[in-house]
């Protein structure tokens, strides 16, 4: 009886494994066999170059001209997105007079970055990024090097052509913001600290309001900081705060309808609903800022690449020795994350190359397809995006990267 049960169990297990193998193979065969028209489209509508080179951005010219807000969504912790960010923004600044860089920094963090652009004092840079929301970039050579390159570029510009970083994130570094308020109030010995209650901070801001009653710009800054302390205390949803901050600062600083740029995490630049929620770009699109048909979004896709992660954030068996782990990441791993259609990109882009792909060109086969909008994940170990509005242009361009190195930490 036991032998019979064992035989049935073994046969059943083998049958299940064979069935799963056939399903797995059949899926990939189907994806491969239906990919020709997508690959033809990708080749026709992309610029592909070695990782060591920079894009010409010629394919972007028409779309840049027709849009007022250009948004890039990186996947944090990789080297290549940092290079792309600098290359694209400097191109936009030099050719389209884009001087506003909206960033995933809180307001005072961005003020310090701007001071760093002027002075080159790296203490300011490190203070600004010490409690940055992008944890992978807090103590990181590639992220720091990007800002160093921005500083070098900034120093070459005439005064009337300087650019500015504008932080729209939820309050991240409370003490840094309190230090800023304390520098404004030089008439009193009373200095506020992170340990005081919200009411004491708001009272201090009220006092500063009276001191700067004849300075509209400072009053605007104080109102902005007051709102962000309130949101911090009430733990307001981060995406709502990002949008409210962007809305307020964009209206204040962009009255002449100049083009602007934003560099954020991947999720924030999708222009339609994801996982039942509205990302930042979608909220901007639906707002009263007049940008409904004037947003250009780009996302990153990584294949056979490496991401930096803090070792103590990972299970022990996944950790490298030391405080940071060089973690392999690829968008074609069925177990963790597999984007349906990713093999088309892989067949079109050689190893150690990157492609800038226009996703919504005329007669795009992606317009009415779930290809590149369907994610398969057998083990839910990472966040999975569900794109719920089929056929909508979540992004207009994809930056597909093969074999990116990690963003190297400074140890």
């Amino acid at each position: 009886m036991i032998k019979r049960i064992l035989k049935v169990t073994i046969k059943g297990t083998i049958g299940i494994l064979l069935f799963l193998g056939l399903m797995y193979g059949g899926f990939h065969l189907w994806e491969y066999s239906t990919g020709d028209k997508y690959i033809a489209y990708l080749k026709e509508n992309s610029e592909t170059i070695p990782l060591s080179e920079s894009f010409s951005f010629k394919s972007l010219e028409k779309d840049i001209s027709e849009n007022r807000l250009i948004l890039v969504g990186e996947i944090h912790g990789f080297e290549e997105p940092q290079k792309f960010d600098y290359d694209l923004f400097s191109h936009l600044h030099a050719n389209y007079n884009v001087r506003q860089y909206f960033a995933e920094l809180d307001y005072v963090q961005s003020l310090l970055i701007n001071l760093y652009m002027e002075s080159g004092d790296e203490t300011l840079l490190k203070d600004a990024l010490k409690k940055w929301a992008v944890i992978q970039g807090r103590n990181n050579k590639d992220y720091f090097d990007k800002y160093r390159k921005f500083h070098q570029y900034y120093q070459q510009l005439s005064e009337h052509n300087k650019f500015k970083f504008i932080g729209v994130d939820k309050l991240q570094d409370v003490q840094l913001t309190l230090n800023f308020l304390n520098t404004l109030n030089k008439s009193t010995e009373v200095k506020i600290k992170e340990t005081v209650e919200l009411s004491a901070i708001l009272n201090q801001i009220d006092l500063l309001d009276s001191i700067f009653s004849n300075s509209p710009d400072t009053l605007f800054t104080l109102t902005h900081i007051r709102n962000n302390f309130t949101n911090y205390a009430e733990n307001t949803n981060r995406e709502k705060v990002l949008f409210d901050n962007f809305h307020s600062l964009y209206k204040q600083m962009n009255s002449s309808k100049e083009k602007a740029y934003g560099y954020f995490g991947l999720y924030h630049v999708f222009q339609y609903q994801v996982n039942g929620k509205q990302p930042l770009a979608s909220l901007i699109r639906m707002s009263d800022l007049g940008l409904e048909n004037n947003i250009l979004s780009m996302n990153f896709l990584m294949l056979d690449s490496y991401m930096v992660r803090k070792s103590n954030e990972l299970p022990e068996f996944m950790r490298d020795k030391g405080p940071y782990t060089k973690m392999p990441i690829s968008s074609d791993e069925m177990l963790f994350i597999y984007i349906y259609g990713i093999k088309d990109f892989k067949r079109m882009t050689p190893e150690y190359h990157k492609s800038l792909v226009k996703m919504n060109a005329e007669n795009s086969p992606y317009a009415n397809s779930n290809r590149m909008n369907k994610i398969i994940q057998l083990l839910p170990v990472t966040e999975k995006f569900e794109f719920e509005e089929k056929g909508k242009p979540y992004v207009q361009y994809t930056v597909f990267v093969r074999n990116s190195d990690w963003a190297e930490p400074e140890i």
Side-chain angles (χ1 to χ4, degrees), residues 275-289:
N275 297 347
K277 299 177 181 178
Q278 302 293 345
L280 172 63
S282 183
L283 294 170
I284 294 171
R285 178 182 58 80
M286 297 186 295
S287 74
D288 61 357
L289 292 174

Side-chain angles (χ1 to χ4, degrees), residues 121-186:
D121 180 357
E122 294 212 355
T123 302
L124 295 167
L125 177 62
K126 292 180 179 181
D127 285 347
L129 303 183
K130 183 170 59 178
K131 293 186 178 180
W132 192 16
V134 181
I135 295 173
Q136 292 97 324
R138 289 180 180 177
N139 188 34
N140 189 279
K141 181 179 181 297
D142 285 294
Y143 281 89
F144 280 29
D145 281 351
K146 177 179 70 175
Y147 285 108
R148 289 168 183 138
K149 286 182 70 176
F150 274 128
H151 165 68
Q152 292 170 1
Y153 180 69
Y154 184 93
Q155 290 295 306
Q156 300 170 11
L157 302 174
S158 60
E159 282 304 313
H160 76 278
N161 202 27
K162 302 288 191 185
F163 58 87
K164 178 181 290 187
F165 289 87
I166 305 168
V168 296
D169 206 347
K170 190 172 184 176
L171 183 59
Q172 298 294 330
D173 195 329
V174 172
Q175 190 57 56
L176 202 64
T177 304
L178 295 178
N179 291 345
F180 171 76
L181 293 176
N182 287 331
T183 61
L184 291 179
N185 188 4
K186 298 176 181 178

Side-chain angles (χ1 to χ4, degrees), residues 195-218:
T195 53
V196 303
E197 295 182 356
L198 175 66
S199 58
I201 295 172
L202 298 183
N203 287 339
Q204 180 78 345
I205 294 174
D206 288 342
L207 172 62
L208 290 169
D209 278 343
S210 64
I211 294 172
F212 292 96
S213 59
N214 294 320
S215 177
D217 288 343
T218 305

Side-chain angles (χ1 to χ4, degrees), residues 106-113 128 167 173 176-178 180 225:
D106 74 26
Y107 186 75
V108 174
Q109 286 173 330
S110 70
L111 294 182
L112 263 65
I113 293 290
D173 195 329
L176 202 64
T177 304
L178 295 178
F180 171 76
I225 290 175

Side-chain angles (χ1 to χ4, degrees), residues 24-84:
Y24 181 83
F27 169 78
H28 285 294
L29 181 62
W30 168 260
E31 183 183 26
Y32 186 91
S33 64
T34 57
D36 287 349
K37 68 177 181 179
Y38 296 95
I39 294 170
Y41 170 84
L42 293 173
K43 288 181 177 179
E44 181 69 22
N45 294 279
S46 66
E47 178 185 358
T48 299
I49 58 173
L51 293 183
S52 59
E53 298 180 9
S54 298
F55 290 112
S56 70
F57 300 118
K58 289 180 181 178
S59 61
L60 286 175
E61 303 303 330
K62 185 174 184 293
D63 286 307
I64 294 172
S65 297
E66 294 177 352
N67 289 278
R68 286 170 44 206
L69 178 62
I70 296 93
L71 299 176
V72 175
E74 75 155 351
I75 307 172
H76 302 312
F78 295 90
E79 177 187 26
E80 284 302 318
Q82 311 321 311
K83 292 157 62 177
F84 182 87

Side-chain angles (χ1 to χ4, degrees), residues 372-401:
M372 298 308 296
N373 282 334
K374 181 68 177 176
I375 295 176
I376 300 167
Q377 187 182 56
L378 299 181
L379 290 179
V381 295
T382 58
E383 185 178 9
K384 177 182 175 183
F385 291 151
E386 293 288 351
F387 301 98
E388 298 159 355
E389 299 187 50
K390 184 178 177 180
K392 296 290 188 181
Y394 277 81
V395 298
Q396 288 74 41
Y397 284 83
T398 289
V399 187
F400 177 68
V401 180

